[in-house]
Amino acid sequence: MTTGITDTADTGPTAERPREIIIQALRTSGAALVQLASGLRTAVMALGVLVLAAVAAVTAPAGVGLLPALAVVRALHALADRERKRLARWGPEIVAPDPPPTALRAALADPTTRRELRWALRHGSLGFLLGLLGVWLPLAAFRDTLFPLVWPFVPPDTSSTSFGFGVAHTWPEALAVSLVGVGWIAVILGLTPGMARLQGRPGRTLLMAGPDTDLSLRVAELTATRAAALDAHATELRRIERSLHDGTQNRIVTVTVLLGAARRMVTRDPDRVDELLERAQSAAEQALAELRAVSRSILPPVLSDRGLAGALAGLAAECAVPCRTDVEAPERCAASVEATAYFVVAEALTNIAKHSKANWASVTLRVRGGRLRLRIEDDGRGGADEKGGSGLTGIRRRVAAYDGTLRLTSPAGGPTVLDVDLPCGTDVPEVAGRSTKLPCTTDELIATCE
């Protein structure tokens, strides 16, 4: 199902929505420009490595290309490691292959070295051009937008636009140049995120460990993931056991004791029987309420009743911080995956309400291409730390159990952004005609039994 934006702020939701969309677009394009500029640095280094490789290839027949070739191999490996770290700051971590050899003959025969060389060719050409655009576009937008302010002071017959042609002789022509600057701003907002992804794509496809070298690393990663999933499962079982033992079981024991006392008091003091039965009914209703709370913590019924979009809208409505949701889920995921997304949002919104001192929060969810992508953002004070007991470790374990990824960006002063990527899995069909809803009162329980 597909839903639009649901704003739960109490005051001015219509006015706040466009402002938040504009702020989000500015942040996304700003991050893309920074990513393009950082890619320009590694692209320049890749060009330097390619020039050094060309020098080594030209001087090899003369017998003096050995030392430049060894320098090329070492520089290529170091630059590839630097690019992996750079890309990890802007997305999922890139698993590096086994360290490639540094001996010249072995390095030339090694597939990792050849893949790194192909990356250097693509990043040093296309990545370099995209990086230049990422640096030039904001400068051009600034220059052209503010050109009418400096036009009276520029020399005559000087090019007015940032791309080198056109001369403004009148005020209308100078104002037209500022419209060109607005066009550059539109290009920045619309195209730079895609340009940043395009610039990083060669590194993500060529610098990651291939299927022939990734088996041992993948086995170690899956072993750690399975251990984390088992720990999370054991923790969840202990929590459920404590809830049932300390809460529900005591309520049911109270009901049993009160019913026994009422039974014995029927003949001795009939006037007090109603009081005991009322207390027993109250204890029974409390036990049922606690059972409903435990069942919701296992698999929330709201997911099957209202779907993921409705469940997240309910969480946003109950959040102490004004929160909006933007959910596009044209296809259903597996029930366990949707439950994981639900609990991630619930824990994250709880953390925002307790620790962030934020004025607003947003939850964005997209289901596309067999992946569920979730982003939770707030404008709080930032500085979120997984070691600070904020529940982020539990969120990471839940995500890792499904072979998903979690990335947290929370600089001091904010904002805090939590990105989660999960595989959708296979949808689990519901059993027709069966409800998981528990009766909430004694009367409903009696009616259900009848």
Side-chain angles (χ1 to χ4, degrees):
M1 63 181 297
T2 302
T3 65
I5 295 178
T6 302
D7 201 320
T8 60
D10 295 333
T11 58
T14 304
E16 290 292 329
R17 189 182 307 166
R19 183 175 67 87
E20 292 179 5
I21 293 174
I22 293 173
I23 292 175
Q24 180 64 31
L26 291 173
R27 287 176 176 171
T28 302
S29 58
L33 290 174
V34 175
Q35 185 176 351
L36 288 169
S38 66
L40 178 62
R41 292 196 295 267
T42 54
V44 171
M45 296 178 187
L47 284 175
V49 171
L50 292 175
V51 171
L52 189 59
V55 171
V58 170
T59 57
V64 296
L66 180 60
L67 291 179
L70 290 175
V72 167
V73 171
R74 293 189 176 92
L76 183 62
H77 295 336
L79 183 58
D81 289 337
R82 178 167 183 167
E83 180 69 3
R84 293 186 189 98
K85 294 177 181 178
R86 184 186 77 86
L87 294 176
R89 293 196 298 268
W90 303 100
E93 182 180 359
I94 298 178
V95 179
D98 294 331
T102 56
L104 182 58
R105 182 169 297 182
L108 293 177
D110 183 65
T112 299
T113 303
R114 293 198 295 268
R115 288 163 64 90
E116 290 178 350
L117 186 59
R118 288 166 54 197
W119 163 79
L121 288 170
R122 293 175 61 178
H123 191 58
S125 54
L126 179 61
F128 178 76
L129 293 177
L130 291 172
L132 281 179
L133 282 175
V135 174
W136 180 80
L137 279 174
L139 296 177
F142 180 80
R143 186 239 188 228
D144 290 348
T145 304
L146 300 181
F147 179 77
L149 299 179
V150 299
W151 172 67
F153 308 102
V154 299
D157 299 328
T158 301
S159 176
S160 302
T161 59
S162 56
F163 42 81
F165 62 87
V167 178
H169 299 287
T170 62
W171 276 109
E173 293 176 348
L175 293 174
V177 176
S178 66
L179 295 180
V180 176
V182 174
W184 291 133
I185 295 175
V187 170
I188 291 173
L189 295 176
L191 298 184
T192 51
M195 292 167 55
R197 290 192 296 270
L198 183 61
Q199 187 191 55
R201 187 174 300 168
R204 296 195 176 278
T205 55
L206 295 175
L207 298 183
M208 66 182 301
D212 52 343
T213 59
D214 194 25
L215 291 179
S216 61
L217 295 173
R218 186 60 177 159
V219 168
E221 180 182 354
L222 290 177
T223 301
T225 300
R226 184 182 65 178
L230 291 175
D231 289 343
H233 180 66
T235 301
E236 193 71 9
L237 288 178
R238 286 194 297 270
R239 183 190 62 79
I240 295 172
E241 189 274 335
R242 285 196 304 269
S243 298
L244 293 175
H245 181 273
D246 299 339
T248 308
Q249 178 176 287
N250 291 337
R251 302 289 184 190
I252 295 176
V253 170
T254 302
V255 172
T256 304
V257 171
L258 290 174
L259 290 176
R263 182 180 180 183
R264 291 189 297 269
M265 199 169 290
V266 168
T267 57
R268 291 185 298 174
D269 191 359
D271 295 336
R272 295 190 58 191
V273 173
D274 288 342
E275 178 186 352
L276 292 176
L277 291 178
E278 184 177 355
R279 291 171 57 188
Q281 179 178 352
S282 177
E285 290 179 352
Q286 291 176 2
L288 286 172
E290 291 174 356
L291 280 175
R292 294 178 68 218
V294 172
S295 67
R296 284 196 209 98
S297 67
I298 299 173
L299 188 62
V302 69
L303 288 174
S304 58
D305 296 340
R306 300 171 56 190
L308 188 56
L312 296 186
L315 287 176
E318 295 173 359
C319 183
V321 176
C323 179
R324 67 178 182 90
T325 61
D326 182 3
V327 179
E328 291 184 7
E331 58 187 67
R332 292 296 298 267
C333 298
S336 57
V337 175
E338 290 188 348
T340 297
Y342 177 87
F343 286 123
V344 167
V345 173
E347 183 67 28
L349 292 183
T350 301
N351 288 343
I352 291 173
K354 287 183 177 180
H355 309 296
S356 70
K357 296 184 179 180
N359 296 315
W360 60 265
S362 65
V363 177
T364 305
L365 185 140
R366 299 288 183 268
V367 177
R368 293 172 184 166
R371 308 291 298 184
L372 185 152
R373 293 178 173 84
L374 178 65
R375 166 169 285 206
I376 306 162
E377 184 176 4
D378 68 78
D379 66 339
R381 60 184 180 180
D385 184 10
E386 291 191 38
K387 299 179 181 179
S390 58
L392 291 172
T393 302
I395 293 177
R396 186 176 292 278
R397 285 180 176 177
R398 282 185 181 271
V399 173
Y402 290 90
D403 202 17
T405 60
L406 181 146
R407 186 168 68 93
L408 175 67
T409 305
S410 184
T416 297
V417 179
L418 183 68
D419 289 307
V420 174
D421 189 335
L422 291 166
C424 285
T426 304
D427 197 8
V428 180
E430 298 180 6
V431 180
R434 181 171 297 179
S435 174
T436 58
K437 182 179 179 182
L438 290 173
C440 60
T441 66
T442 305
D443 294 335
E444 291 182 3
L445 178 62
I446 294 174
T448 303
C449 294
E450 293 176 349

